[in-house]
Amino acid sequence: MSKLKDTKAKLSIFGELWAFMRVRKKWWLGPIFLVFILLGLLIVLTQGSALAPFIYTLF
Amino acid sequence: MNILGISCFYHDAAAALLADGQLVAAAQEERFTRKRHDSNFPINAIRYCLSATKISANSLDYVVFYDKPFIKFERILQTYFGTFPRSFRSFLKALPVWMKEKMWIRQTIMKELDYAGEVLFTEHHMSHAASAFLVSPFEEAAILTLDGVGEWETTTKGWGRGNEIQLTGAIHFPHSLGLLYSAFTYYLGFRVNSAEYKVMGLAPYGEPRFADTILQELVNVQPDGTFCLNMKYFTYHYGLTMTGKKIETLFGHPRREPESTLEQFHKDMAASIQKVTDTIVVRLAQHIERESKMKSLCMAGGVALNCVANSKIFEHTNFQDIFVQPAAGDAGGAIGAAFYIYNTVLGNRRSFVMRHAFLGPEFNNGEVEELFRTAAVSFRKLEQSELLKETARLLDAQKVIGWFQGRMEFGPRALGARSILADARNPKNQSVVNLKIKYRESFRPFAPTVLEEKTSAWFDWNRPSPFMLFIAQAKNGKERIPAVTHSDGSARLQTISRDQNSLYYDLVSEFDKLTGCPVIINTSFNQRGEPIVCTPQDAWKCFLRTEMDHLVIGNFLVNKSDVPPYLVDEARKETFEPD
C-alpha cells in the first residue's frame, strides 16, 4: 500500500465517524471522538506503541 | 464470490473464507501463533484461508468484520462516564489500545491484506445469530444468542427463515449472563474468558446451595428469562476485576486464590451458578419457543458452549432439534459475518450446512516423514487399515495415543483431527490423562466419542451430537465407561458418523470390534495452557513434553519408548502459562 493511499485510508475515519454519529444521533460523541482520533492518528502515524490490552475483553 | 470473515481484538481471533456460499476454510489465530486465545489481528489465519483456496486478497469480493467498533466505543465511553471516577484506571488502560488499534479496523484490514476492496461490518450478535442459523440444517428456526457483551447487546432472541434473520429482542450491557458466569469464574479463582468450562466441570461435585441467594440478591430473573443484575456486587463495568468485596461479604468467603485448593464451598458455588445459568437459559428458550412457535432452535455466543445448559433446553422445551455453532464464541463470529453478507444482505440462497468442523490446515505424509527423519527418530509407516487396527489394539492395551489426522478443527473442541485418545473403560485413565499428559486439575472430566448408531445403547441420547455441545447420562457409565462418566453420571457427548470423519469413525469402529465398546476418550491434543496443536511439529513437541505413549500422524506411528531421552528432555524445557 503506498504512503498516499495509506494516509487517505486513515483519514477516511472522519467520514466513517460522521456517518456513525448521524445514524446513531450521538452528536455529543463528536468532540470526544475528535480528540481520540487526533491522538490516535499521532500514535498510528508515528507507529508508537499502545499499552497492553485491558485484562478483560469488555473494553 | 469470495468473502473473508474476520473476528479479532477481543478474544479468539479467527478468519473464515466463503467461496460461492461454501465455507471452505476457517481457523483461529492462536493455532498458528501458539498463544492461547490470541486476540491479535489474525493475519496467519487469513493467510491460511487464502492459501488453502489458492486465491489472493485482491480476489476477495468483500472482507467483513464481525462487530461494529464505533458502537462498541460508544458503549465504553458511556459506561466510563456513567461510573466516573471509579472507572478512571480502567479508562486509562483501555484508551491507548482503542486509539492505536480498535478504531482503525478498516485501515488495518486494508493495510495488512494489501486490499483495496470493500470492508463491511456486521453487528456482533447478528454475527453470532448468522453463524448458527445460516449454516444450520433448518429452513426456519428460533435463534438465541448469549455471550459476555457485543456492542451493547449481551443476549438476543429472534428467528431465521430462508436467508432472512430478524432479531426481535435484546438484553443490554451491563446485564449479561456471560459476564455473570465469568464473574463467578473469577470469584472461584479461575481465568476469565478462558476457564469458564472449568466451573461447568466442577459443578457436579457440589450442591447448588447458593442458587437461591444468587437469584434473590445478584440477578433478578423474569418468567420469560430476561434478567437484570444487581450491579452493586460487580465491578467489571468500571474496574479491572469482575467482583469486589461485596460478593465476598455476601457469601462469607474471600475470592479463591488461583491454583489454591478447591474446597467444598467452591464446588457448591460452581453448582449454584450453573443452576442459575440453566434456569435463565431454559426460561429464555421456553419463551422463544412460545413466541416463535418454531420447532428448531439455533444458538451461538460464548454461553452456548455451556453444554449442560444446552441439554436442559431439550429437557424443558418441545424444540425438536437444536443447532449450536461448534465455534459458538467469538471465533465463530468470523463465519457468521461472512454468511450474513452472502445470504442475508446480498440475498443469495443458503447452500451450506455445517456438518463438521474440519476446516483448518492439513499436512501430507511427505511433510510428516521429513519431520521424523529430521528428528532422527524411528517410526513405522502403515497402510490405513493396518494403522487403524494397530491404533485400536494400542488403545485396548491401555496406551494413550496422540492422534493427528486431516484438517484441523475450527472451534474450541478437538473432534478427532487433533485429539488425544485413550480407553474410556479404564477408570484410571481420567487421572492418568489429566495429570501425566494434560498436566491439569484432576477433577476435569473427559468427553467420550461414540459411534453415532450405537449412541442410545450407551447413553440416554438418541440424536447426533457431533460438536460435543450436549451432555447425556451414560447408561451404567460408572461400570462400563468410568473414565468419561462424570460424578453425576453425565458425559459431554461427541457422536461420530462416517460422513463427518471417515477415518476417525473407522478407528472407533475398530476399537468396538476389538473390545465390544464403541466409546473412547477424546480430549484435545495439547497440554494445559497450550493451544490445540496445528502442525505435525506442534504435535511432535507436545508428544515429547507429555507422557503420551504413541503418536499417530497420517500413516506414521511413533512409539515413545523409541524416542531418544535427550529429545524428551529438550522438549520439556518449553512450558506454558496455566490457563
Side-chain angles (χ1 to χ4, degrees), chain A residues 1-21:
Chain A
M1 210 179 204
S2 74
K3 197 91 183 160
L4 184 69
K5 265 190 181 171
D6 191 27
T7 308
K8 217 173 139 186
K10 285 190 176 96
L11 292 176
S12 70
I13 199 166
F14 288 105
E16 292 168 31
L17 279 170
W18 177 256
F20 164 76
M21 287 188 295

Side-chain angles (χ1 to χ4, degrees), chain B residues 311-326:
Chain B
S311 304
K312 297 279 180 195
I313 298 176
F314 270 126
E315 284 175 37
H316 297 282
T317 68
N318 293 314
F319 281 120
Q320 289 169 3
D321 211 348
I322 302 175
F323 178 83
V324 184
Q325 152 69 236

Side-chain angles (χ1 to χ4, degrees), chain B residues 458-460 472-478 480-481 484-485 489-491:
Chain B
W458 290 75
F459 300 91
D460 290 330
Q473 288 294 308
K475 290 179 175 170
N476 299 323
K478 285 286 176 202
R480 298 203 291 179
I481 41 172
V484 291
T485 305
S490 67

Side-chain angles (χ1 to χ4, degrees), chain B residues 272-442:
Chain B
S272 304
I273 189 60
Q274 183 61 47
K275 188 177 177 190
V276 171
T277 303
D278 296 345
T279 303
I280 294 173
V281 171
V282 164
R283 285 192 196 174
L284 283 166
Q286 287 171 332
H287 174 71
I288 294 168
E289 186 193 10
R290 277 195 302 272
E291 197 177 66
S292 70
K293 297 183 176 58
M294 287 179 174
K295 303 262 183 273
S296 306
L297 175 67
C298 289
M299 292 177 71
V303 180
L305 291 169
N306 192 312
C307 49
V308 178
N310 295 349
S311 304
K312 297 279 180 195
I313 298 176
F314 270 126
E315 284 175 37
H316 297 282
T317 68
N318 293 314
F319 281 120
Q320 289 169 3
D321 211 348
I322 302 175
F323 178 83
V324 184
Q325 152 69 236
D330 275 9
I335 291 180
F339 272 102
Y340 183 71
I341 295 303
Y342 183 78
N343 292 129
T344 308
V345 175
L346 299 176
N348 292 300
R349 282 178 66 83
R350 288 165 60 197
S351 57
F352 178 82
V353 175
M354 196 168 183
R355 298 196 188 281
H356 64 75
F358 305 109
L359 296 160
E362 64 180 336
F363 301 85
N364 60 41
N365 274 334
E367 291 167 286
V368 180
E369 187 164 354
E370 193 185 330
L371 167 73
F372 291 142
R373 290 204 186 282
T374 308
V377 65
S378 61
F379 58 84
R380 290 161 67 194
K381 186 175 182 186
L382 303 169
E383 287 301 316
Q384 191 168 300
S385 61
E386 192 54 34
L387 182 86
L388 294 173
K389 282 196 176 86
E390 181 64 3
T391 308
R393 188 190 69 74
L394 290 168
L395 287 169
D396 185 35
Q398 303 311 304
K399 303 297 181 189
V400 180
I401 314 280
W403 176 256
F404 183 112
Q405 301 288 349
R407 297 186 73 178
M408 182 178 71
E409 300 89 344
F410 183 59
R413 308 272 176 256
L415 299 167
R418 305 287 186 274
S419 293
I420 295 172
L421 310 176
D423 188 345
R425 299 168 304 165
N426 184 348
K428 288 183 184 160
N429 271 342
Q430 191 200 357
S431 58
V432 167
V433 180
N434 263 335
L435 300 175
K436 292 188 170 179
I437 290 156
K438 304 281 281 188
Y439 300 116
R440 68 185 199 183
E441 302 90 335
S442 61

Side-chain angles (χ1 to χ4, degrees), chain B residues 170-217:
Chain B
I171 298 171
H172 285 171
F173 182 83
H175 308 290
S176 162
L177 181 56
L179 292 174
L180 174 68
Y181 206 90
S182 292
F184 276 86
T185 302
Y186 174 84
Y187 181 55
L188 290 171
F190 297 116
R191 187 172 286 198
V192 171
N193 269 331
S194 170
E196 279 76 3
Y197 59 95
K198 293 185 190 177
V199 177
M200 187 179 74
L202 190 62
Y205 295 101
E207 285 297 320
R209 61 191 171 99
F210 301 110
D212 288 343
T213 310
I214 295 171
L215 287 168
Q216 281 157 18
E217 288 289 329

Side-chain angles (χ1 to χ4, degrees), chain B residues 93-111:
Chain B
K93 285 235 180 224
L95 213 57
V97 186
W98 267 95
M99 289 194 295
K100 169 84 164 57
E101 210 167 52
K102 293 181 178 176
M103 273 205 287
W104 305 94
I105 286 166
R106 182 191 304 275
Q107 291 77 5
T108 303
I109 289 170
M110 293 172 85
K111 186 179 175 189

